[in-house]
Amino acid sequence: QVQLVESGGDLVQPGGSLRLSCAASGIIFSQYDMGWYRQNPGKQRELVALVTISTTTIYSNSVTGRFTISRDNAKNTIYLQMNSLKPEDTAVYYCLARRGQDYWGQGTQVTVSS
């Protein structure tokens, strides 16, 4: 079965950094576009960043220049390096694997607060 397991979420102060990880199993990882979405209560899940099978990346305007998505096919893992964190970045962050069909992780909480 497909499993996507996120980790790395934490409470950090504004301006701080975190690195999220998503370890995938049950898929041929290199054949999937991978991404990070985030969601707060009462809001739709929104794209944060995507990295394709060819390592093309795309970012939401709100995180461009601060966040970096990467993938390590040897480890079946994607990462989201988050720098200069803002309170507005507070959300549950979800890992996505996409190849026509979508698979989602359970999410990891990121809270940015002083």
Side-chain angles (χ1 to χ4, degrees), residues 88-99:
E88 307 93 272
D89 297 318
T90 295
V92 177
Y93 284 71
Y94 296 91
C95 181
L96 166 72
R98 175 170 286 163
R99 192 184 66 172

Side-chain angles (χ1 to χ4, degrees), residues 38 46-48 59-67 86 89:
R38 66 188 182 188
E46 66 174 351
L47 174 69
V48 177
Y59 298 91
S60 70
N61 290 337
S62 62
V63 307
T64 295
R66 300 187 297 121
F67 291 9
K86 304 174 180 180
D89 297 318

